[in-house]
Amino acid sequence: MASLLVTLVFSWWAFRDTNWNDQWASLRSANYLYVLPYLGVLTIIHVCRTLRWGCLLSGLERVPFRPLNEASGIGFMMLLVLPFRLGEFARPFLIAQRSSIRRSAAMTSVVLERITDGLLVATLLRVLLFFIPAETPEVRYVRLGSTLMFAIFGGGLGFLLFARWQHDRAVHLVRSTVGRVLPTLADKVADV
């Protein structure tokens, strides 16, 4: 319901000054053959993301493509339905039902995926900034944003590597920091 409300509010905001007659004329004159290559590219992206997740899970268990694709397809759709990317929790839950992989282990693979994606986007953003004139006033905000992305996702990757290397210390660190504020959340994070 919250996702629908957010969609409605932002749709109203985006289209509040729209001339609907011009919009309708534009839609009628559009060439919809371009939708076919778009759907093809979208399918390739979905298959690549599914296979990438399968590779991340392969250290735990080799999951056949069909159950992996089912979990990925439903999980990616849930990203659109649920607000605040809560749909990310659907894939680990679904793959745990379709394999012997624990939900917490599958969730770790999703976290690693998000960290990798975040670092890649921050890197691409930094590369693209080389092609924008430095005197543009908004560039400093974009540069600051990319630096923050590096710090957040790089810190997440550093913590995952630390947790892999020093498992007991990482669990203790989570329980002694997050556990002071949210003990039940700390237990769940420490389990992951």
Side-chain angles (χ1 to χ4, degrees):
M1 185 63 166
S3 180
L4 183 60
L5 181 64
V6 168
T7 301
L8 289 174
V9 167
F10 281 106
S11 295
W12 168 82
W13 187 51
F15 294 109
R16 70 186 182 281
D17 296 328
T18 300
N19 182 334
W20 290 104
N21 291 329
D22 291 346
Q23 185 72 28
W24 182 248
S26 176
L27 286 171
R28 283 196 326 232
S29 66
N31 183 357
Y32 290 101
L33 284 178
Y34 289 111
V35 172
L36 294 176
Y38 169 75
L39 291 175
V41 169
L42 202 58
T43 301
I44 291 168
I45 290 170
H46 171 76
V47 169
C48 289
R49 289 178 74 185
T50 301
L51 292 173
R52 176 182 71 174
W53 191 40
C55 289
L56 286 173
L57 293 173
S58 67
L60 303 168
E61 176 185 333
R62 283 233 176 250
V63 181
F65 182 76
R66 183 176 177 154
L68 194 63
N69 186 44
E70 290 170 354
S72 293
I74 294 169
F76 294 144
M77 284 187 277
M78 294 300 289
L79 280 174
L80 299 174
V81 175
L82 298 174
F84 312 115
R85 296 192 66 91
L86 290 174
E88 292 290 6
F89 293 105
R91 285 191 298 151
F93 181 77
L94 292 167
I95 205 66
Q97 290 179 335
R98 289 162 172 76
S99 68
S100 63
I101 297 173
R102 291 182 18 231
R103 274 185 289 188
S104 59
M107 190 64 201
T108 303
S109 71
V110 170
V111 169
L112 182 60
E113 223 179 14
R114 294 289 69 82
I115 287 173
T116 305
D117 288 348
L119 286 172
L120 181 63
V121 168
T123 302
L124 289 174
L125 187 58
R126 277 297 206 183
V127 168
L128 290 174
L129 283 174
F130 286 117
F131 300 102
I132 297 176
E135 63 271 359
T136 308
E138 291 80 12
V139 169
R140 68 176 182 205
Y141 297 117
V142 177
R143 189 171 285 121
L144 175 65
S146 67
T147 302
L148 286 173
M149 282 180 71
F150 268 119
I152 291 168
F153 290 110
L157 179 62
F159 183 77
L160 284 181
L161 292 173
F162 171 73
R164 176 79 172 126
W165 177 51
Q166 295 286 325
H167 177 266
D168 295 336
R169 285 185 181 172
V171 169
H172 176 71
L173 180 65
V174 167
R175 288 202 168 122
S176 64
T177 56
V178 179
R180 290 182 182 185
V181 182
L182 301 164
T184 54
L185 178 65
D187 289 337
K188 289 179 182 179
V189 171
D191 183 49
V192 170

